Amino acid sequence: MFRHSRFAPSTEGRGAPADGRLRAAATARNKAPIAAVLADWLPAGGTVLELASGTGEHALHFAAAFPRLAWQPSDPDPRHRRSIEAYRRSEGGPNLLAPLDIDVTAPAWPLPGPVEAMICCNMIHIAPWTAAEGLFAGAARHLKAGGGLLLYGPFKRDGRHTAASNAAFDASLRAQNPAWGIRDLEAVTALAAAAGLAAPRIAAMPANNLSLWFEKRGGGSAP
Ligand SMILES: C[S@@+](CC[C@H](N)C(=O)[O-])C[C@H]1O[C@@H](n2cnc3c(N)ncnc32)[C@H](O)[C@@H]1O
């Protein structure tokens, strides 16, 4: 599934644990820069719902970085949920919750209540556009007013790639699945607006990625 992606989870290597913990080199590289922008954008308390958590390395790192937040990982892939749960049991603190089975395209997500924030890294380009639609529909349903969604990954701007490496990555994604591909920032922003989220704050990230913070309108604070 991840043959052409920058996310290639693996259990390979000397001393790899047998409990299902996966590793992805890109996730290990980008977790600290993403945590730095989250520190500026996340609320002081409440629950953060992570969609498409993958290996669980992000969830482990972010839960430790923000101990006052409850961190709720999720992924529809059972192999990934096993990895997330293995990290949680072996290394996680009390604020790292057990992973949920959430496919963002589902019309209802199994959550006990609304959340203060959401985060989704490196998913909408490695899934059909319906996943982006489902993500923002879910943000509209499940975010508290004034809460925010962090979206991380590569984006085109004004229909153009921002780097040759992103263009090559996009071509490899589309070769693997024609419904995949790097999304236009403007199209994503329009989708967010239709779901009641404000235009994003934008942070440039290493390796030609962006972090976007979409705030749900109605919280009384400026975007
Ligand atoms: C490239 S991995 C990114 C994992 C992690 N967020 C990271 O950045 O390391 C993409 C993830 O999206 C998940 N995914 C794919 N389609 C999805 C969907 N419809 N709803 C939720 N997650 C999905 C996959 O199971 C996988 O874990």
Side-chain angles (χ1 to χ4, degrees):
M1 177 179 181
F2 299 109
R3 191 160 46 94
H4 295 286
S5 105
R6 295 170 181 180
F7 176 83
S10 166
T11 50
E12 291 163 17
R14 287 166 66 88
D19 61 2
R21 271 179 284 174
L22 301 169
R23 298 189 200 128
T27 311
R29 277 196 303 274
N30 63 33
K31 64 187 182 184
I34 297 173
V37 296
L38 283 172
D40 287 339
W41 293 344
L42 284 179
T47 298
V48 181
L49 171 64
E50 182 182 9
L51 289 314
S53 296
T55 63
E57 291 163 287
H58 273 165
L60 184 72
H61 186 82
F62 299 151
F66 305 104
R68 293 187 180 169
L69 293 166
W71 200 272
Q72 177 61 75
S74 70
D75 203 282
D77 184 329
R79 184 165 165 256
H80 292 172
R81 287 200 305 281
R82 179 167 182 248
S83 177
I84 299 162
E85 180 62 2
Y87 276 112
R88 187 180 80 87
R89 285 177 181 266
S90 64
E91 304 172 54
N95 66 322
L96 179 55
L97 306 178
L100 296 175
D101 179 2
I102 298 180
D103 182 326
V104 295
T105 63
W109 297 355
L111 294 175
V115 297
E116 280 72 14
M118 294 183 183
I119 171 172
C120 183
C121 300
N122 285 322
M123 189 276 282
I124 65 168
H125 55 287
I126 310 178
W129 180 245
T130 49
E133 293 174 331
L135 176 66
F136 283 103
R141 283 195 310 271
H142 297 291
L143 267 183
K144 289 185 179 172
L149 163 67
L150 180 129
L151 194 59
Y152 169 89
F155 294 89
K156 290 192 271 188
R157 299 189 82 161
D158 296 319
R160 292 195 185 86
H161 288 295
T162 59
S165 59
N166 281 3
F169 181 44
D170 188 36
S172 74
L173 289 171
R174 290 176 192 281
Q176 189 169 350
N177 186 330
W180 295 3
I182 292 181
R183 308 302 178 191
D184 284 304
L185 175 59
E186 294 72 22
V188 173
T189 300
L191 196 57
L197 279 69
R201 298 180 200 177
I202 301 174
M205 305 296 289
N208 305 303
N209 290 295
L210 296 178
S211 284
L212 309 174
W213 179 251
F214 294 94
E215 208 163 275
K216 184 171 174 180
R217 295 193 179 97
S221 58

